[in-house]
Amino acid sequence: VASAMSVLELHDLHVTYRTDGGSVPAVRGVNLSLDTGDTVGLAGESGCGKSTIAGAVLRLLPKGTEVSGKVLLDGEDVYAMKPGRLRAVRWTSAAIVFQGALHSLNPVRRVGLQIEEAILLHSQQSARSARIRVGELLEKVGLPAGQAERYPHQLSGGQRQRVLIALALACEPKLLIADEPTTALDVMVQAQVLRLLEELQREHGLSLLFITHDLSVLTHTCDRVAVMYAGRIAEIGPVAEVIHRPAHPYTVGLMGSIPAMDEERERLLQIDGAMPRLSAIPAGCAFNPRCPQA
Ligand code: ADP
Ligand code: MG
C-alpha cells in the first residue's frame, strides 16, 4: 500500500546473486518503508543480506544480479529509471555511507577536493560556492575546515568516516543509508560518530537506514529496528519493543549476544550454529535448526 509520504519503500524485494557455484538468494521477500525523518535500524549477523538491500536501493549490485519486487524512492520506481535519472537520484535523493572509509576515498586526492567534485557533479553551483560548502560540511561533521587540505592517509579512521558522512550529505539527500558506518572504529570514536548521525538526523529531518550487525548501537540511533535472518526480516518494530520484548527467538539470541563494553568483539555472537547456506535454506523458518524453542 503506497503512501505518498514514504521516502523509501521496498515491496517484496528479492535479490539473487548468480555465481559459478549457483544461485545465492541473498534477499527473499523484504517489505520495508521509511517516511520522512524515520530512523530504521537493519540488524542481523554477517551474511544475512543487509548490504545487499543497501546495494539494491541504488542499483549498485553486480551486473547479472537478479532483482524482483519494487524499490520506490519518493514514490519513484528505481528499477524503471533511465541511466541519467538514476545518476541524478544517487547522492541527491539517497546516499550511502559504506563501511571501511579508506577504500571509498581516493587516496591520492585531498579530501576537500573529493567533496567539492561531488557537489559540482550533482548541482549547478560555482566552484567558489562549492568550496565554501565543503568548509561548512566539514564543520558540520566536526572537522576543522583545514582538514580539507589533507589526504585520506593523513586522517584517523574516525576522521575519514566523518569525511564520508560529509560526502554523503554534500547533495542534501533525503535518505541516508549508513552501512556499518562505525564497525571499523574503536568504541570511543564509534560513540562520537553515532552522536553525529543522531544530530544530523534531528537537524535535517533526514531519513536514516542504519545497517549494523551490532544491535546495541541501534538503541539510541533508531526509532524502529528490523532484524534480518537469512534474507528475510524476522522481526520489525519500535526499538524499545524489539529489544526489551523480542518476539522472535533469533532476536532473543542476538540481544543475548550484546557484549559489555570491555568484552572481546569475537564473542559477539553466542547463538549456537551458523546461518544456513543460502543455496540450501530449510523450508519454514530458516532459524529453525538453531532455535532453542523449535
Ligand atoms: P551482510 O551485509 O548482512 O553481511 P550481504 O548482503 O553482504 O550480507 O551478503 C548476503 C549474502 O550474499 C552472503 O551470503 C554473501 O556471501 C552473498 N553475496 C554478497 N555479495 C555477493 C556477490 N557479489 N556475489 C555472490 N554472493 C554475494
Ligand atoms: Mg554488510
Side-chain angles (χ1 to χ4, degrees):
V1 198
S3 119
M5 288 293 296
S6 289
V7 172
L8 173 67
E9 286 177 48
L10 307 179
H11 293 284
D12 195 27
L13 179 68
H14 288 252
V15 179
T16 304
Y17 293 106
R18 299 280 170 228
T19 72
D20 295 340
S23 303
V24 179
V27 174
R28 306 183 297 131
V30 162
N31 293 292
L32 187 66
S33 122
L34 267 79
D35 290 347
T36 304
D38 264 2
T39 53
V40 175
L42 194 56
E45 72 198 275
S46 180
C48 69
K50 306 182 298 296
S51 297
T52 301
I53 289 184
V57 169
L58 286 181
R59 282 170 63 179
L60 296 169
L61 298 169
K63 252 202 157 102
T65 306
E66 203 172 283
V67 180
S68 73
K70 272 211 157 52
V71 178
L72 305 180
L73 271 179
D74 262 330
E76 192 177 347
D77 185 344
V78 172
Y79 284 79
M81 289 176 185
K82 300 236 163 67
R85 177 68 187 145
L86 185 60
R87 267 197 304 277
V89 155
R90 288 181 184 155
W91 297 99
T92 55
S93 290
I96 303 186
V97 178
F98 282 109
Q99 175 178 1
L102 193 54
H103 305 293
S104 319
L105 291 167
N106 185 335
V108 299
R109 295 190 75 97
R110 297 177 197 275
V111 294
L113 210 56
Q114 298 189 46
I115 301 174
E116 192 180 315
E117 283 168 352
I119 296 171
L120 291 175
L121 198 63
H122 295 279
S123 70
Q124 314 298 326
Q125 296 184 42
S126 68
R128 190 161 169 274
S129 72
R131 216 160 306 138
I132 293 170
R133 175 107 177 99
V134 170
E136 290 169 359
L137 282 163
L138 289 178
E139 204 168 300
K140 185 150 278 173
V141 298
L143 291 173
Q147 302 282 50
E149 299 305 318
R150 302 244 168 137
Y151 292 92
H153 74 269
Q154 295 174 312
L155 302 173
S156 70
Q159 289 172 328
R160 283 197 295 262
Q161 198 57 278
R162 284 164 195 266
V163 168
L164 275 196
I165 293 170
L167 194 57
L169 295 174
C171 303
E172 304 183 321
K174 291 182 178 169
L175 170 68
L176 181 65
I177 301 178
D179 189 356
E180 312 249 14
T182 62
T183 301
L185 308 175
D186 70 59
V187 176
M188 292 294 290
V189 183
Q190 192 173 32
Q192 288 168 6
V193 172
L194 287 176
R195 218 169 305 131
L196 168 66
L197 282 174
E198 244 175 271
E199 279 167 25
L200 291 171
Q201 197 275 325
R202 253 200 321 269
E203 260 175 56
H204 298 266
L206 208 64
S207 307
L208 179 66
L209 183 62
F210 193 105
I211 297 178
T212 180
H213 66 279
D214 181 358
L215 260 182
S216 65
V217 307
L218 296 177
T219 49
H220 298 294
T221 329
C222 294
D223 307 322
R224 279 189 298 150
V225 55
V227 177
M228 273 190 86
Y229 189 77
R232 289 202 173 134
I233 292 180
E235 173 165 12
I236 183 166
V239 74
E241 226 159 87
V242 170
I243 286 180
H244 297 298
R245 286 187 299 279
H248 197 285
Y250 178 63
T251 314
V252 177
L254 258 195
M255 286 308 302
S257 62
I258 289 181
M261 294 289 259
D262 54 356
E263 258 177 282
E264 299 271 314
R265 292 213 134 248
E266 280 74 15
R267 304 248 223 102
L268 250 176
L269 271 167
Q270 289 166 348
I271 305 167
D272 286 340
M275 220 170 61
R277 271 190 309 121
L278 291 176
S279 48
I281 294 172
C285 177
F287 188 55
N288 191 341
R290 300 166 79 185
C291 184
Q293 292 178 30

